[in-house]
Amino acid sequence: MAADTLRQSLVGSKTTVVVKVGTNVLTNATGELDRRRIESLAEQISRIRAAGHRIALVSSGAIGAGVGKLGLGKRPTDLPHLQACAAVGQSALMQLYQEALNPYRIHAAQILLTASDFDSRVRYLNMRNTISTLFEFNALPIINENDTVSIAEIKFGDNDQLAAMVANLLHAPLLVLLTNVDGLYSGDPRSDANARLQATVPHIDAAVTGMAGTSKSSLGTGGMKSKLKAARLATAAGGAVIMANGSIDGILDQIFRAEAVGTLFLPHGESIPAWKRWLGFTAQSKGQLVVDAGAAGAICQRGTSLLPVGVRDVQGDYGKGDVVTICDSGGKEIARGLTNYTAADTRRIMGRATDQIIQQIGNIPYVELVHRDNLVVTG
């Protein structure tokens, strides 16, 4: 499907859309929340909802807002001060959102999440049910990382990744990443006069990733590499992503008029069921299986199960039923799945055919290490 046709299709149908807005879009140069920007965002969201779309907003800005309210001048680097800024800033962020939404009679619904919420299948389903019910109540789900209690998320995570995981959670065909640049450039436009905006990206490969450079936002945790990682997560599961400049007045209106703004990342994977979105693109892997070329080809090309004979190395200490990553001999991830064996048992039987395993241990509870029904190709 051509890029312009896809844009028309995405905004023309009554779909669920996840919009992520970054800290540098929501705050001014001193780190204080920009009321006018948030009011404009609320007005545009009200129009998009009126057109029949369901919107979930993933909003950064809590730590940045806390930096501004506490008069710190810059983002702290140690965990206790980051968490204190988040605690102060989150309430201010939500208050301003509710005030901005009041003219449109939309309720602001705060949802704070951590990565562990996505690991649990039960909590994962509860999240989806809660957000779906909020849509029924004419509420706008406003989702953020729970920075006041999470540790790894502040150090290593960001809301770009969270937004992609929410898009997969809701089976949303479109993820909009609003940042403080116009989209993906072929180089850093601040230092490269020949850098050009990429209007459409069919597939996020090594060449595209190389365009990201080393940029990082001043108040947020993300950068272009983070956004490309999130875009890959969403597009691999069959969704489209638009990255655009949230500092431009009316940018969401332009996107939902199907105007050629920002960078459109095309879906490069088939749309998959919700259960396999969780398995392949959301739940955290507990270990890694390195397979030979024959097993890698069978999994990627024919969708077969993974047998012990094809495994060459086992990394990690995982249990039966855990999510494991399956990599080729070069270390590239090709799939994820639920393992039938613990790491210790896998090491005992790897590289052996079924009859050899039976001779060695007397029985074999499962022929497959990872059954194809519990496996998702991701590479």
Side-chain angles (χ1 to χ4, degrees):
M1 183 182 294
D4 55 347
T5 304
L6 177 59
R7 283 182 183 260
Q8 290 283 355
S9 173
L10 289 169
V11 304
S13 57
K14 305 300 185 291
T15 59
T16 299
V17 179
V18 176
V19 176
K20 184 265 178 178
V21 58
T23 299
N24 282 287
V25 174
L26 295 175
T27 55
N28 57 29
T30 63
E32 297 175 328
L33 290 172
D34 187 333
R35 178 179 289 272
R36 188 195 65 82
R37 182 67 50 72
I38 293 177
E39 289 174 346
S40 174
L41 183 64
E43 182 181 2
Q44 293 173 80
I45 287 175
S46 71
R47 282 194 287 268
I48 297 168
R49 285 164 49 103
H53 298 281
R54 303 196 305 178
I55 304 291
L57 179 65
V58 177
S59 177
S60 300
I63 293 178
V67 170
K69 287 189 72 67
L70 294 171
L72 301 182
K74 63 178 181 179
R75 180 187 176 92
T77 57
D78 63 291
L79 184 60
H81 284 86
L82 285 168
Q83 291 179 321
C85 287
V88 171
Q90 184 65 34
S91 59
L93 180 65
M94 290 303 299
Q95 179 181 352
L96 192 47
Y97 269 124
Q98 186 58 71
E99 292 173 356
L101 291 166
N102 280 336
Y104 315 104
R105 297 183 179 180
I106 299 173
H107 306 293
Q110 175 179 265
I111 301 176
L112 299 177
L113 302 173
T114 63
S116 61
D117 293 320
F118 287 87
D119 281 345
S120 166
R121 180 66 178 162
V122 173
R123 279 187 281 172
Y124 184 81
L125 293 175
N126 285 343
M127 281 189 281
R128 188 169 65 192
N129 292 337
T130 297
I131 294 173
S132 296
T133 305
L134 288 171
F135 289 145
E136 296 176 9
F137 287 158
N138 195 38
L140 173 67
I142 302 178
I143 304 163
N144 198 357
E145 283 188 314
N146 194 350
D147 290 334
T148 59
V149 299
S150 52
I151 296 176
E153 288 77 13
I154 289 180
K155 288 185 176 180
F156 309 109
D158 54 68
N159 275 352
D160 298 316
Q161 183 82 358
L162 174 60
M165 294 167 76
V166 171
N168 283 340
L169 169 75
L170 300 178
H171 224 135
L174 176 61
L175 167 62
V176 178
L177 298 175
L178 296 182
T179 182
N180 60 347
V181 294
D182 292 337
L184 176 66
Y185 281 82
S186 57
D188 190 340
R190 297 170 298 183
S191 58
D192 184 358
N194 295 318
R196 295 291 178 267
L197 179 66
Q198 307 298 293
T200 307
V201 175
H203 186 83
I204 302 174
D205 53 19
V208 171
T209 303
M211 298 178 187
T214 58
S215 64
K216 187 174 181 180
S217 60
S218 59
L219 288 171
T221 59
M224 189 54 66
K225 286 185 177 180
S226 165
K227 289 164 181 58
L228 289 180
K229 182 179 178 181
R232 185 184 182 279
L233 184 64
T235 55
V241 177
I242 294 177
M243 183 193 305
N245 194 335
S247 303
I248 297 175
D249 288 337
I251 187 63
L252 282 179
D253 287 333
Q254 294 178 50
I255 290 172
F256 281 84
R257 289 196 297 264
E259 296 180 15
V261 294
T263 300
L264 171 63
F265 297 86
L266 303 180
H268 59 80
E270 296 181 0
S271 182
I272 60 178
W275 145 251
K276 290 205 168 184
R277 285 183 181 234
W278 172 81
L279 174 60
F281 302 101
T282 300
Q284 299 297 306
S285 173
K286 300 298 177 60
Q288 184 172 296
L289 303 175
V290 180
V291 302
D292 59 27
I299 290 170
C300 294
Q301 297 167 21
R302 300 193 298 276
T304 63
S305 301
L306 174 62
L307 304 179
V309 68
V311 177
R312 291 293 172 262
D313 189 26
V314 180
Q315 300 175 15
D317 184 18
Y318 53 82
K320 177 183 176 182
D322 282 343
V323 178
V324 294
T325 302
I326 302 171
C327 298
D328 62 19
S329 58
K332 177 186 176 184
E333 177 180 326
I334 61 171
R336 290 193 180 194
L338 299 179
T339 175
N340 286 327
Y341 290 89
T342 66
D345 287 340
T346 302
R347 292 185 176 96
R348 293 174 60 200
I349 64 176
M350 70 179 191
R352 291 181 170 84
T354 302
D355 57 348
Q356 294 174 315
I357 297 172
I358 294 174
Q359 290 176 6
Q360 178 187 5
I361 64 176
N363 63 71
I364 180 168
Y366 304 95
V367 173
E368 306 88 358
L369 267 179
V370 180
H371 193 277
R372 63 184 179 183
D373 291 345
N374 296 322
L375 186 148
V376 179
V377 175
T378 60

